[in-house]
Amino acid sequence: MKKMIALMLSILLLFTLSACAGDSGQESGNAAENTPAETVIPSLEAQGSAAAEPEASVGGKALVLYFSCTGNTEAVAKEIAAQTGAEAMELLPEEPYTEDDLNYQDDNCRANQEMNDENARPAISGRIENLSDYDTLYIGFPIWWGTMPRIMNTFFDEYDLSGKTVMPFCTSGGSGIDQAVSAIREAEPDAEVREGLRVGSGSAENCTEAVAAWLEGNE
Ligand SMILES: Cc1cc2nc3c(=O)[nH]c(=O)nc-3n(C[C@H](O)[C@H](O)[C@H](O)COP(=O)(O)O)c2cc1C
């Protein structure tokens, strides 16, 4: 009798175990169905490419060079530096711009006087000694009266960027970057001047995606 009970218990145990194994198999089967490989793998790849972004500069050693009076272009410059791993350097005017200098509603403000004179070349403070070390230059500025501020003309007059890749970027209230890009191409005919990035003044602190898309389009 004892043997019969033991046998029946063993059979019961066997069923219970195989039933459990079936459950867990089914669970993992469902999980696999709910997350097909096509869904999982691209998201892993996207993470991989995000991690690789610091190497996304268009080629060789890169520098982010920017002019910014009220911080908007600087915010974009820092985002580009963060995403590319490039160093950032600010172009400072020898004579800093005051609030009055930038008051473009006043016809006679310094910025307007400079923009009204196409030969104006406001001086840059100091000199960049090691510019030849860089292959790619991300060059940023605000848009003033539809184009780049004259201090950028000073920069392009003073430095020969032949053979370098130039990635222009700007911030503005609404104007595009095309006029500035044409001016840069004219000033640096032997540089490879790529499509520019324009970020709205109000989006400068929130430009991660715009910068990423621009960098990706210029790899
Ligand atoms: C003198 C001056 C002229 C400007 N002209 C324009 C313009 O033509 N079009 C435009 O969209 N924004 C214009 N702006 C707005 C700036 O492009 C915008 O505020 C920019 O984000 C400032 O950048 P920053 O903070 O890096 O100096 C002008 C600003 C100044 C001071």
Side-chain angles (χ1 to χ4, degrees), residues 67-74 102 104 111-112 142-146 171-175 201:
F67 169 66
S68 179
C69 289
T70 50
N72 297 332
T73 310
E74 178 168 65
L102 299 171
Y104 55 84
N112 287 5
I143 296 293
W144 284 4
W145 295 110
T171 62
S172 78
S175 303
S201 313

Side-chain angles (χ1 to χ4, degrees), residues 67-149:
F67 169 66
S68 179
C69 289
T70 50
N72 297 332
T73 310
E74 178 168 65
V76 179
K78 289 189 170 163
E79 183 60 37
I80 295 169
Q83 289 194 28
T84 59
E87 290 172 61
M89 191 185 285
E90 184 172 6
L91 264 188
L92 291 168
E94 212 164 80
E95 192 187 330
Y97 289 84
T98 65
E99 211 174 303
D100 283 348
D101 290 340
L102 299 171
N103 178 15
Y104 55 84
Q105 273 152 354
D106 172 1
D107 288 347
N108 281 322
C109 78
R110 174 183 165 197
N112 287 5
Q113 283 181 27
E114 290 172 2
M115 297 313 288
N116 282 331
D117 175 6
E118 64 176 32
N119 295 315
R121 294 293 181 270
I124 295 169
S125 170
R127 189 158 175 90
I128 310 165
E129 296 300 346
N130 61 342
L131 206 66
S132 56
D133 291 354
Y134 299 96
D135 307 292
T136 298
L137 296 175
Y138 299 90
I139 301 184
F141 42 83
I143 296 293
W144 284 4
W145 295 110
T147 190
M148 58 188 178

Side-chain angles (χ1 to χ4, degrees), residues 22-62:
D23 274 347
S24 70
Q26 209 181 358
E27 253 172 40
S28 63
N30 280 343
E33 268 169 36
N34 291 337
T35 50
E38 289 88 6
T39 321
V40 173
I41 292 169
S43 78
L44 284 178
E45 279 175 356
Q47 277 172 20
S49 65
E53 260 170 18
E55 267 108 73
S57 72
V58 283
K61 198 174 171 195

